[in-house]
Amino acid sequence: DRFTRLKARPVVLEVQALTKIFESRGRAVAALSNIDFKVHQREFVCVIGPSGCGKSTLIRILAGLEAQTSGAMLLDGKPVHGPG
């Protein structure tokens, strides 16, 4: 019941097909591939995983400090294009 009520709240952050590819030694390395999720108002979210799995890259992109290769991020329904 509590989870159902949480998901009924407005979506404040929506990530759609987020992908980040880096060039390393002449080859493409996918740091993130087709990441999708939604964060609802007053929802608490943690990003966990092993070293090198893309956690910091994801957070940097969400903060607008780094550009994604493809995909979209909407903060309160508006695209994120930079910090602030």
Side-chain angles (χ1 to χ4, degrees):
D1 184 48
R2 186 175 179 191
F3 186 72
T4 302
R5 287 193 319 258
L6 173 70
K7 295 303 177 186
R9 294 178 183 160
V11 173
V12 293
L13 175 64
E14 184 171 1
V15 175
Q16 306 165 339
L18 189 71
T19 298
K20 178 64 176 182
I21 298 176
F22 290 102
E23 291 293 324
S24 177
R25 298 181 184 156
R27 22 175 279 212
V29 176
L32 302 170
S33 180
N34 291 317
I35 304 295
D36 292 298
F37 64 90
K38 294 178 184 178
V39 179
H40 294 82
Q41 185 177 30
R42 296 182 60 209
E43 185 174 17
F44 185 82
V45 178
C46 294
V47 180
I48 59 173
S51 178
C53 73
K55 300 178 303 288
S56 294
T57 299
L58 174 63
I59 299 304
R60 289 181 56 77
I61 292 171
L62 292 177
L65 301 174
E66 193 167 314
Q68 69 270 28
T69 303
S70 64
M73 296 168 302
L74 302 174
L75 182 61
D76 291 325
K78 298 174 190 148
V80 176
H81 293 296

